[in-house]
Amino acid sequence: MKKRILALVMTALMVLSLAACGSNTKQTSNDTASTKGGKDVITVGFSQVGAESDWRTANTESMKSTFSEANGYELIFDDAQQKQENQIAAIRNFIQQEVDYIVLAPVTETGWDTVLKEAKDAGIPVIIVDRMVDVSDDSLYTAWVGSNFELEGKKSAAWLDAYLKAAGKDKDEVNIVDIQGTIGASAQIGRTKGLEDAVAAHSNWKLLSKTSGEFTQAKGQEVMESMLKQFGDKIDVVYCENDNEAFGAIDAIEAAGYKVGLDGDMIVMSFDCTKAGLTDTLSGKISQNTECNPLHGPRVEEIIKSLESGQTVDKKKYVDEVIFSFDDSVKSLSIDGTDYPVTKLTQEILDKRAY
Ligand code: AHR
């Protein structure tokens, strides 16, 4: 009798555990897919920085269209509104939901050790996208894909140097203001460094001011207004760390009665090369624009597919990016022994821009 009761209990436990397996088969990174309508579904929790810029909107769209239901994914998307504490809460939530993969676009580089350790302990692979994390143990994330932000900064500074030479102005005093991105974000750190290194290498370049515009148009405009109040037409170059800041800066400069452009009062430089940014580059309001490519969805998917099939993935992968300018006085830049072409923007190129 006792044996019969034991057998019944064992059978009931087996039935229960089989039912649990059927509803969510996510166990380890080698066994991640759950099933929906007979199809394997991979659950991805994506913590996005926010919606601060056109670049970010394009990035979100790339992630959402890649990790769609039709492609076999369940995407849990969280917009952190540029706040790290929101991103940490989102990651904890993803861990609780036992997602198969966590994708993190971190707002700043530092402050991730604890929460990424929690994800690692839960056996959930973390893929970092766009900006980097600065952690003491790099096994806390599986892979990173994004831009070489310092190289972007070097490209812009090298363009300015080459442009001034071509224009015969390389001996003039050059007064620069830097509207920085979100302080502590890789995109800010790299782009600011690229400029500061170049300023240090040119005795006639002066960095009058650097202030964060938080990668937004509104803040970019506000910062530019205050820089104009302080320095007025002493400013020769406005180095904006993204397109949206450049839009705000241009509005402020024009409202103050100055002309932007190579033949105007101030040269505006930018990063991203979004469609709106390139529209201003084609018109000459932005004189030079260094690309930062936001289309990371397929790149992250490639990493997930490799992991699903048991392959090893690159720990870090940089995206190739180009440089556009309004005029053709600079055709290429040599940086650390590598040549980078500079493309004079045309309507045809702009028409083909996807974001
Ligand atoms: O991290 C990439 C940067 O973040 C882009 O340059 C900017 O537009 C965005 O907000």
Side-chain angles (χ1 to χ4, degrees), residues 18-288:
L18 279 173
C21 282
S23 64
N24 179 14
T25 59
K26 193 244 151 226
Q27 301 294 327
T28 67
S29 57
N30 292 327
D31 178 16
T32 51
S34 59
T35 41
K36 211 175 199 178
K39 275 192 189 164
D40 282 348
V41 173
I42 297 173
T43 307
V44 176
F46 175 40
S47 170
Q48 175 62 291
V49 170
E52 73 283 5
S53 62
D54 289 19
W55 186 101
R56 191 62 57 193
T57 305
N59 177 247
T60 294
E61 176 47 33
S62 171
M63 295 294 285
K64 284 187 173 172
S65 58
T66 302
F67 294 103
S68 64
E69 222 181 293
N71 290 344
Y73 298 96
E74 184 188 342
L75 179 68
I76 307 173
F77 177 84
D78 187 273
D79 176 337
Q81 299 179 356
Q82 296 239 67
K83 291 194 176 76
Q84 186 177 43
E85 66 262 32
N86 291 347
Q87 295 205 283
I88 291 173
I91 293 170
R92 294 204 165 119
N93 193 16
F94 298 153
I95 295 171
Q96 267 192 353
Q97 294 188 61
E98 298 188 348
V99 299
D100 299 314
Y101 293 92
I102 291 172
V103 182
L104 168 66
V107 61
T108 48
E109 289 193 349
T110 56
W112 300 104
D113 295 70
T114 306
V115 76
L116 293 190
K117 171 90 172 44
E118 290 167 28
K120 189 182 174 188
D121 291 345
I124 302 174
V126 174
I127 297 160
I128 311 290
V129 66
D130 169 28
R131 304 171 187 173
M132 287 230 190
V133 290
D134 180 3
V135 282
S136 50
D137 168 9
D138 76 359
S139 76
L140 293 181
Y141 64 93
T142 303
W144 168 85
V145 62
S147 304
N148 186 335
F149 297 108
E150 191 176 333
L151 177 61
E152 289 178 356
K154 284 183 179 182
K155 286 172 178 173
S156 292
W159 176 85
L160 182 60
D161 174 66
Y163 168 76
L164 292 171
K165 277 188 184 128
K169 295 179 181 168
D170 54 319
K171 301 282 180 289
D172 296 359
E173 181 172 292
V174 184
N175 291 306
I176 306 167
V177 292
D178 180 4
I179 304 184
Q180 299 172 286
T182 303
I183 300 299
S186 310
Q188 174 274 315
I189 295 169
R191 292 169 190 169
T192 299
K193 185 172 187 312
L195 175 65
E196 285 183 338
D197 288 352
V199 168
H202 292 80
S203 56
N204 57 327
W205 289 19
K206 302 239 168 342
L207 186 55
L208 296 177
S209 174
K210 53 174 182 174
T211 310
S212 175
E214 288 162 20
F215 286 128
T216 69
Q217 179 163 348
K219 192 78 185 164
Q221 180 166 350
E222 192 187 306
V223 167
M224 190 69 226
E225 282 165 359
S226 106
M227 287 170 166
L228 284 165
K229 271 191 199 126
Q230 205 180 341
F231 305 107
D233 66 0
K234 210 174 165 223
I235 300 168
D236 302 305
V237 176
V238 184
Y239 181 92
C240 301
E241 293 191 10
N242 84 341
D243 279 343
N244 291 79
E245 291 179 344
F247 305 148
I250 291 165
D251 286 348
I253 295 165
E254 291 181 338
Y258 300 113
K259 186 171 183 277
V260 291
L262 296 175
D263 62 348
D265 304 300
M266 292 169 205
I267 292 175
V268 175
M269 301 173 68
S270 185
F271 294 87
D272 284 355
C273 296
T274 56
K275 206 167 183 106
L278 289 187
T279 302
D280 275 3
T281 311
L282 188 67
S283 74
K285 290 192 176 199
I286 293 175
S287 298
Q288 182 273 345

